Amino acid sequence: MFDDPFAFFSLVIAIVALIFARKAMNEVAELRQRLEAMQATPAGAAAAVPPPLTPFEAFEQSLPPAPSGATPTPPPIVPEAESTASTATPEAAGQAADGAPPPPLPPTDRGFEETVGTRWVVWIGGLTLALGGFFMVRYSIEAGLLGPGVRTILGGLFALALLLAGEWTRRKESISTIDALPIANIPAILTAAGTAVAFATVYAAYALYGFLVPATAFILLGLVALGTLAAALLHGPALAGLGVVGAFVTPVLVSSDKPDFWALYIYLAIVTAAAFGLARVRLWRWLAVTTIVFALLWTFPCLQCGPSMVGPHAFHVLAGFILAALLVVCGFMFGPPAEEGQIEPISSGSLAAYLLGATLIVLNSSHADTAMIVFGLLVAGSLAVAWRSDAAAGAVGAAAALVFVVFAEWAIRANPDMLVLPGGPLQGIGPTATDGSVSLHLISAAIFAAGFGVAGFFAQGRSTGPIIPVIWSAAAVFTPLALLVALYARIAHLDRSIPFAVLAVMLAAAYAAATEILARREDRPGLQASIALFATGTLAALALALTFALEKGWLTIALALMSAGTAWISTQRPIPFLRTLAAVLAGIVVLRIGYEPRIVGQAVGTTPIFNWLLWGYGIPAASFWAGSILLRRGGDDGPLRTVEAAAILFTVLLAFMEIRHAVNNGDVYRQSAGLTEVALQVCVALALAIGLERLRVRTGSVIHNAGAILLTAFAGLATLFGLLLLENPMLQWIDVGGIVINLLLLGYALPAVLALLLSYAVAGRRPVAYANTIAGAALVLALAYVTFEIRRIYHGPVIAAGPTTGAEQYTYSIAYLAFGVVLLGIGILFNSQRARLASAVVIGLTILKAFLIDMSALTGVYRALSFMCLGLVLVAIGWLYQRILFRRQAAVPAAPTGS
C-alpha cells in the first residue's frame, strides 16, 4: 500500500500515538470517576478509612498545581447533586437537615449518538489529521508538484500548525465553562498529531532527502522528543508516552558509520532525566517503568562493541542509577514520600535494573577495572539508598545476588591454568598474568563482604516492618559466604587450603558474635528471623572451614551437617524459614551426589566398606536422620518430609553403592551386575523395608510409608527379573560355590527369610493381599533354594550343566514333601494358618510333580518309592488334620439323676 518508507513510518507513529492517548485517557477517566464518587460521598461516610495506597497512588488524587506561567484552571463544576438541591422538595430538605444522606441519583446512560459525537469523532479526527499530512506529502511526491525541500518545509509547517492548534484549543477550553472530556481531549490529540508529524518530517529530511547530517538530525529529533515530554505537563500522559518512545527510538533511526557512544549516552541521560522528572511531577508510575525498561534495553546492543568502550557504557548505567535514586526512589532525596517499613516495587526495581546493566558490562568486559569500580559504586549506592529509604530495600537482595554472579563467573572463566603451556607461559603474558585481576577481586570481595555484613547487622532494629530486617540479614549472611566460596574455587581450585579455612572460621566467629548480640536485644519485628539467619551463617561458615581444610568430598558432608544444625536451631528458634533452609540444604546435597555419585571421583579407593562412600553417604544419612527427628518436634510439614526422604535415599544409596563397590572391586560404574550383587541388594532392600514398616507405625510419616512400599516393590522386581530370570544359575553359567555356604544361600534362602519377616511386619497393618503377596514371594524363593541346592549336590558348582537323573528327580520329590511337612508342623505348633496354607501349596505341587513328571521320568524302585512316600505323607497329613486341628468332641452323656 505504501511505496515509500516516509508514509509508512508516519502512519506507524500516528497509530502509536493514538494507542498511548487512548490508554492514558482511560486512566484519566477512571480518576475522574473516582473524584466524582468522592464528591458525591455523604458527609457521614467521610470518616471511613480508605484502603492503603502505594506511594505513587497516594498522590494521584492530589496533583500538584500548575506552573506560575500557566493559564488559571477553571473553577470546579458543581456536582449535579448540589445543583439540584435548590429545587429539592421540602421533604428532601428536611431529610438533609436531619443529617440523613440524600437518595442516590439514577445513573445517566450515554447514548450511541453522544458516544459517537463526543469520542469517536475526536479520535478519528486526530488520526485523520496526521494521515492527511502524510498523504499530502505522498501525493506531492507522486505528482512531482513539489521538490524535496518544499515538502519538508510544508511538513514542518503542518506540524507547527497542529501544535499551535492544540495549544490554542487548550487555552480556549481553560477559560471557557465547558468541561472537556478527558477520554477524548481535543487539545491533547491535536498536539500528539503535531508531534508525530514533526518526528516524521525531521526523519524524512535526514533519511529520505539527505538534507540533514546525522548530528543535526539527532539533535532535532531529541528536541522534538523532549518538547513532547514538556508538553505532556499540559496535555496529559498521551504525549508523555509518545515522547519517551520517540526519544529512545531516535538513536535507532539516526545511524552513523562512526557512532559516538558518549554523545548517545549523554543524550539518553538527558531524556531519562526529563522522563523521570515528568514522572515525579505527575506521579506517573508507568512512565518511570517505561523509561527504566528502555534505558536497560539500550545497554544490550552497545555491549557488542567490546571491552574498549567500557567508559561510555559505565556512564550510562551510573547516570541512570543516580537519576533513579534522586527522582524515582520513594523517601529518598526528591522522590515521592514513602511508607515506613514498606518495600516499594518501583523504587527497588529501578535500582536493581541499573545494577543488572552494570553486571552485564562487567561480564562483557572480562572484569575490566573500570567496570568493576562502577559496579562497586552502584552496589554501595544501593546499600546507601536502601539504608535511607525502606522503599528500596528490595535492591539489597538484588545487589547481593548480582555480586555473587560477578564473582562466580570470574571464578569459573578466569582459570590461570589455561594460560600456561607445557613450554611455559604464552608469549606476552607473564608467569603471573592474573595477579592484578586476583588482587582487584580480593580487595573488591573484602569490601563487599564487609559492606553487606556490617550494614546487615546494624540495620537490625531500624525498620518497623518485619521483612526489611530479614532482607538485610540474609544479604549479610549470604554475600560473604558466597564470595568466600567463589574465591576459594578461583584461587585454591577446590583443593585443600588452610588460609581459606582460617577465613571461614573467622567468619563463623563474626556470625556467632552477631547472633549472641542480637539475641540479647528486645524483640522487634523480624528480629527472630535475623537471629536465625546469623546462626545459620555460623554453621555454614564452620562447614566451609571443614571443607577447605579437608578433602573435596567433605563439602557434601559439611552441607549435610549444616542441614542437621539448622534443624537443631529451628528447635531453639521456631522460625519457619529455618525448617525450609534445612530442607534446601538437604536438596543441595542430593543434587551434589547426582553430579558425582562417587563423591570424590576416582579417589574413592578399592577397600570394601571402609572407603569414601562410607563417609560420603553414611555421615549425611545419619545427619538427615537426626535432622528429621529434630524437625518432627515442630510438626509434619514439607521440610520435614524432604529431610526424611533425603535420609532414606542416602541410607539406601549407602548400602547399594557399598555393595556395588565391594562386588566390582571399586568400579561403581560397571555396566553389568552379577548374582551376588543382585542378591545383596534384594536382601538390603527387604531389611530396610522391614525397618521402615516398624518405623512408620511409630511416626505415621507418609515418607516412611512410601519408602517402605517403594523398597518392597524394588525387591520384588529385582527378585523376579534378577534372581529368577537374568541371574538364575539354572539359566546362566554361574559358579555358585560350596555345597552349603554358597551363593544359593545368599541369593534365595536369606531373601526368603527376610520376605517372610516382612510379611509378618505388615500383617494387620496393610491389606491382606499385600501381606499374602510378600509371603508368596518368600515361598517361591524358598522352593527355588531347595531346588537349586539339590541340583548343586548332584551337578557341582555349575548347576546349569548336565542331565537330570532318576535319583535327582526322586530327591526333589522327597525334599518337597519334607518341606511341606515342616511348614505344616510350624503351622500346627504356632497356630499359623498362613504356614498351613503354604504347606498345602507345597504338597499340591509335589502331587502334580509325581503325576506329571515322576510317573514318566522315574523308573523302577524310584517310581515306587516316590509314590509310596507321597501316599504315606498324605495319609499322615489327613490324620493330623482330623486328630489335632479339627478334632470333634464326642457328645458327653447326661449324668443320671438320683431317685
Side-chain angles (χ1 to χ4, degrees):
M1 174 179 179
F2 299 100
D3 296 332
D4 72 70
F6 173 75
F8 176 75
F9 176 73
S10 303
L11 176 61
V12 169
I13 290 183
I15 294 175
V16 170
L18 186 62
I19 292 174
F20 273 102
R22 170 67 174 170
K23 178 181 178 181
M25 291 179 178
N26 285 337
E27 295 177 354
V28 174
E30 182 180 355
L31 291 176
R32 182 178 182 82
Q33 292 176 1
R34 185 185 303 178
L35 183 61
E36 291 176 352
M38 293 176 60
Q39 292 176 348
T41 302
V49 179
L53 301 176
T54 62
F56 280 97
E57 294 173 343
F59 290 88
E60 287 180 349
Q61 300 176 0
S62 57
L63 297 179
S68 58
T71 305
T73 57
I77 298 177
V78 180
E80 186 176 355
E82 296 180 6
S83 64
T84 57
S86 59
T87 59
T89 61
E91 292 80 7
Q95 293 177 358
D98 295 337
L105 296 176
T108 58
D109 296 332
R110 181 178 287 107
F112 177 76
E113 180 181 4
E114 181 181 357
T115 301
V116 172
T118 60
R119 298 186 179 186
W120 294 3
V121 171
V122 177
W123 301 334
I124 298 174
L127 179 61
T128 304
L129 283 174
L131 293 178
F134 302 153
F135 291 149
M136 178 60 69
V137 175
R138 180 183 179 185
Y139 171 75
S140 67
I141 295 174
E142 294 175 349
L145 300 178
L146 303 173
V150 178
R151 297 173 202 157
T152 304
I153 294 174
L154 290 179
L157 292 176
F158 184 60
L160 181 61
L162 289 175
L163 294 174
L164 292 176
E167 180 61 19
W168 181 78
T169 54
R170 186 190 68 82
R171 291 177 179 271
K172 293 292 290 183
E173 286 185 354
S174 66
I175 61 176
S176 66
T177 59
I178 301 175
D179 186 20
L181 289 176
I183 201 170
N185 190 281
I186 294 176
I189 290 178
L190 289 175
T191 307
T195 55
V197 174
F199 268 115
T201 301
V202 176
Y203 181 72
Y206 159 72
L208 299 181
Y209 307 130
F211 292 154
L212 302 176
V213 296
T216 305
F218 185 83
I219 293 174
L220 290 178
L221 287 174
L223 291 176
V224 173
L226 294 176
T228 305
L229 289 174
L233 285 170
L234 300 175
H235 292 280
L239 285 178
L242 180 62
V244 74
V245 172
F248 281 100
V249 171
T250 293
V252 179
L253 301 178
V254 181
S255 60
S256 174
D257 296 335
K258 297 180 180 180
D260 187 350
F261 287 101
W262 280 108
L264 169 65
Y265 285 133
I266 290 174
Y267 163 78
L268 292 179
I270 296 173
V271 170
T272 302
F276 281 166
L278 180 58
R280 171 63 186 91
V281 171
R282 290 295 188 178
L283 294 174
W284 287 337
R285 301 162 59 92
W286 64 268
L287 182 58
V289 173
T290 304
T291 305
I292 294 169
V293 171
F294 273 110
L296 182 61
L297 290 177
W298 263 112
T299 306
F300 292 96
C302 299
L303 293 176
Q304 302 175 1
C305 300
S308 60
M309 297 301 298
V310 172
H313 305 334
F315 168 78
H316 172 58
V317 296
L318 184 60
F321 182 90
I322 295 174
L323 290 173
L326 293 178
L327 300 173
V328 176
V329 176
C330 297
F332 185 80
M333 298 300 289
F334 307 109
E339 296 184 16
E340 186 178 2
Q342 298 294 325
I343 299 177
E344 205 282 313
I346 296 181
S347 300
S348 300
S350 61
L351 301 183
Y354 287 105
L355 276 172
L356 176 60
T359 303
L360 295 175
I361 295 173
V362 170
L363 301 183
N364 183 75
S365 64
S366 300
H367 298 252
D369 293 353
T370 303
M372 284 294 297
I373 293 173
V374 172
F375 177 74
L377 291 176
L378 263 61
V379 171
S382 300
L383 297 181
V385 175
W387 184 272
R388 173 77 179 272
S389 173
D390 289 344
V396 175
L402 292 175
V403 165
F404 173 68
V405 168
V406 167
F407 279 82
E409 193 271 346
W410 171 73
I412 294 173
R413 183 168 62 169
N415 189 351
D417 295 339
M418 299 174 58
L419 302 177
V420 179
L421 296 177
L426 295 177
Q427 184 177 2
I429 300 179
T432 56
T434 58
D435 283 356
S437 177
V438 170
S439 301
L440 174 64
H441 283 76
L442 281 174
I443 296 173
S444 301
I447 295 175
F448 285 140
F452 278 97
V454 173
F457 174 76
F458 285 104
Q460 304 305 312
R462 297 185 71 254
S463 176
T464 59
I467 301 299
I468 294 175
V470 176
I471 293 177
W472 279 104
S473 58
V477 172
F478 168 78
T479 307
L481 290 174
L483 291 175
L484 187 61
V485 172
L487 293 174
Y488 167 71
R490 167 63 180 81
I491 297 174
H493 302 282
L494 302 181
D495 290 330
R496 294 181 60 191
S497 176
I498 299 302
F500 276 102
V502 172
L503 288 176
V505 172
M506 294 173 60
L507 190 60
Y511 286 147
T515 304
E516 184 66 21
I517 294 173
L518 293 177
R520 297 177 180 178
R521 292 185 180 180
E522 182 182 357
D523 192 17
R524 291 179 59 89
L527 180 61
Q528 295 301 319
S530 299
I531 294 173
L533 284 171
F534 279 107
T536 306
T538 304
L539 293 176
L542 291 175
L544 288 178
L546 183 65
T547 303
F548 298 158
L550 301 174
E551 300 293 337
K552 298 178 182 178
W554 288 99
L555 177 59
T556 303
I557 297 174
L559 292 174
L561 293 174
M562 181 179 171
S563 176
T566 306
W568 176 78
I569 294 176
S570 69
T571 62
Q572 307 301 315
R573 307 274 181 183
I575 300 173
F577 170 74
L578 291 177
R579 300 174 64 88
T580 304
L581 180 59
V584 170
L585 292 171
I588 294 174
V589 177
V590 172
L591 294 177
R592 165 68 178 85
I593 64 168
Y595 171 73
E596 175 52 87
R598 296 175 300 180
I599 307 295
V600 291
Q602 296 181 353
V604 66
T606 58
T607 304
I609 307 300
F610 297 100
N611 50 57
W612 246 106
L613 296 176
L614 179 62
W615 324 123
Y617 284 95
I619 296 178
S623 174
F624 294 145
W625 282 114
S628 66
I629 294 173
L630 294 171
L631 290 177
R632 181 162 293 280
R633 300 176 183 176
D636 190 353
D637 54 5
L640 169 64
R641 296 174 182 178
T642 302
V643 177
E644 286 180 340
I648 296 174
L649 176 63
F650 269 78
T651 304
V652 173
L653 290 179
L654 170 63
F656 284 5
M657 292 294 288
E658 285 285 13
I659 291 171
R660 189 158 183 79
H661 178 276
V663 172
N664 299 301
N665 195 26
D667 184 11
V668 298
Y669 288 154
R670 187 175 179 180
Q671 295 296 325
S672 61
L675 177 61
T676 303
E677 182 177 348
V678 175
L680 288 172
Q681 289 179 348
V682 170
C683 292
V684 167
L686 290 172
L688 291 175
I690 294 171
L692 287 177
E693 289 290 351
R694 299 293 186 186
L695 184 60
R696 77 177 185 89
V697 175
R698 296 172 52 191
T699 63
S701 170
V702 295
I703 299 299
H704 296 161
N705 178 58
I709 294 175
L710 291 176
L711 285 172
T712 303
F714 170 80
L717 293 175
T719 299
L720 177 61
F721 294 102
L723 299 180
L724 300 179
L725 291 178
L726 298 178
E727 302 298 336
N728 191 329
M730 289 282 289
L731 305 177
Q732 302 292 336
W733 198 271
I734 299 174
D735 187 346
V736 298
I739 296 177
V740 178
I741 307 301
N742 51 35
L743 287 180
L744 301 177
L745 185 67
L746 175 66
Y748 299 92
L750 185 57
V753 174
L754 290 172
L756 182 63
L757 295 176
L758 179 60
S759 68
Y760 280 100
V762 301
R765 298 185 177 92
R766 292 194 185 273
V768 177
Y770 186 84
N772 289 341
T773 301
I774 299 174
L779 181 60
V780 171
L781 287 169
L783 285 173
Y785 172 70
V786 171
T787 302
F788 295 159
E789 187 64 30
I790 293 173
R791 191 161 180 85
R792 166 66 183 84
I793 295 173
Y794 281 94
H795 292 265
V798 181
I799 65 177
T804 303
T805 63
E808 183 180 347
Q809 286 288 2
Y810 176 73
T811 306
Y812 289 141
S813 299
I814 295 299
Y816 293 164
L817 280 175
F819 184 46
V821 171
V822 171
L823 289 176
L824 179 59
I826 294 174
I828 294 174
L829 182 62
F830 295 99
N831 193 24
S832 172
Q833 184 183 22
R834 183 177 298 165
R836 297 196 299 270
L837 291 176
S839 172
V841 171
V842 174
I843 298 299
L845 291 175
T846 307
I847 295 173
L848 290 176
K849 178 181 181 298
F851 285 95
L852 296 179
I853 298 177
D854 293 354
M855 185 176 292
S856 59
L858 296 180
T859 59
V861 67
Y862 289 117
R863 179 188 296 177
L865 290 176
S866 175
F867 278 87
M868 290 172 60
C869 292
L870 177 60
L872 290 175
V873 170
L874 292 178
V875 171
I877 291 174
W879 182 85
L880 289 173
Y881 271 86
Q882 291 178 10
R883 300 294 181 178
I884 298 178
L885 292 178
F886 300 102
R887 182 174 60 182
R888 297 181 181 274
Q889 298 290 338
V892 179
T897 60
S899 55

